[in-house]
């Protein structure tokens, strides 16, 4: 793959990388830094990418590795704990009440479970692909997802907006 083709392919996955960076860091600025570092690393290691394989899996793996090895362990930003404002965005509007509730519940999971849930259920990666991205055994992914499902099942049912027929009967 030529450098120009590689750059074009990389550019198609920036939004996905940013979403994953935001999920991990819970901070927009740190997510942007993660995406930037991932792009730099991807360009530096373009020769390691095997053409024909899923580049998004490779890129998410690079981002995850950067998060673990550089950002998190060195605590680059030393920023205070998030106050909840980062994810209280467009989902807070009335038509998205259930989506906002789901996001808050998933956001309350430990980082390892949150990442596994995101990659498997939002991005649609298989368990083996999630394991490769997170650099853990498939059994660990399965355990994290099962534990997350159990934790999420402890919550009461989600609030639902009553339909007009339900409201008429009350």
């Amino acid at each position: 793959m030529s450098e120009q083709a590689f750059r074009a392919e990389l550019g198609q996955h920036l939004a996905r990388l940013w979403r994953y960076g935001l999920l991990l860091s819970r901070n927009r600025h740190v997510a942007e830094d993660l995406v930037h570092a991932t792009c730099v690393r991807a360009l530096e290691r373009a020769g390691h990418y095997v053409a024909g394989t899923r580049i998004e899996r490779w890129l998410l793996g690079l981002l995850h590795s950067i998060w673990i090895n550089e950002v998190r362990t060195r605590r680059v930003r030393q920023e205070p704990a998030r106050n909840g404002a980062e994810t209280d965005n467009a989902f807070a509007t009335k038509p998205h009440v259930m989506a906002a509730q789901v996001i808050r519940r998933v956001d309350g999971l430990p980082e390892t479970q949150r990442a596994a849930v995101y990659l498997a259920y939002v991005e649609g990666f298989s368990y083996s692909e999630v394991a490769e991205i997170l650099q853990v055994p498939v059994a660990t992914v399965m355990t994290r997802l099962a534990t997350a499902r159990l934790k999420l099942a402890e919550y009461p049912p989600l609030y639902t907006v009553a339909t007009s027929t339900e409201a008429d009967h009350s």
Side-chain angles (χ1 to χ4, degrees):
M1 178 182 291
S2 72
E3 181 179 343
Q4 185 177 11
F6 183 81
R7 286 176 181 264
E9 183 76 18
L10 175 62
Q12 293 178 10
H13 299 285
L14 294 178
R16 182 178 252 183
L17 290 171
W18 186 83
R19 284 191 309 265
Y20 188 53
L22 183 61
L23 175 103
L24 291 174
S25 67
R26 299 177 171 191
N27 181 290
R28 293 175 192 267
H29 301 292
V30 175
E32 290 169 5
D33 290 345
L34 281 168
V35 171
H36 177 77
T38 300
C39 290
V40 168
R41 186 166 294 171
L43 291 170
E44 290 172 349
R45 297 184 180 180
H48 296 280
Y49 172 68
V50 179
T53 60
R54 293 180 63 185
I55 193 168
E56 69 272 13
R57 191 171 67 199
W58 184 69
L59 292 170
L60 289 168
L62 288 176
L63 187 142
H64 186 79
S65 178
I66 291 167
W67 169 250
I68 295 298
N69 296 330
E70 294 178 17
V71 177
R72 189 166 161 228
T73 56
R74 291 187 314 162
R75 298 182 184 175
V76 172
R77 297 263 181 226
Q78 297 279 328
E79 294 187 32
R82 167 178 91 86
N83 63 7
E86 289 295 325
T87 56
D88 293 341
N89 54 21
F91 287 113
T93 61
K94 191 172 183 175
H96 301 288
V97 172
M98 286 184 64
Q101 290 175 340
V102 170
I103 289 169
R104 277 193 296 277
R105 290 176 182 188
V106 171
D107 196 41
L109 293 171
E111 178 186 318
T112 55
Q113 293 171 19
R114 199 172 60 247
V117 165
Y118 174 79
L119 292 169
Y121 300 135
V122 176
E123 291 295 339
F125 288 109
S126 69
Y127 289 4
S128 60
E129 291 170 327
V130 173
E132 184 178 321
I133 291 167
L134 299 179
Q135 300 175 358
V136 297
V138 174
T140 301
V141 170
M142 294 170 69
T143 300
R144 288 177 183 177
L145 291 172
T147 305
R149 285 191 300 267
L150 288 172
K151 178 67 178 168
L152 293 172
E154 292 175 2
Y155 287 101
L158 291 173
Y159 166 78
T160 58
V161 179
T163 63
S164 60
T165 57
E166 290 173 350
D168 294 340
H169 295 295
S170 356

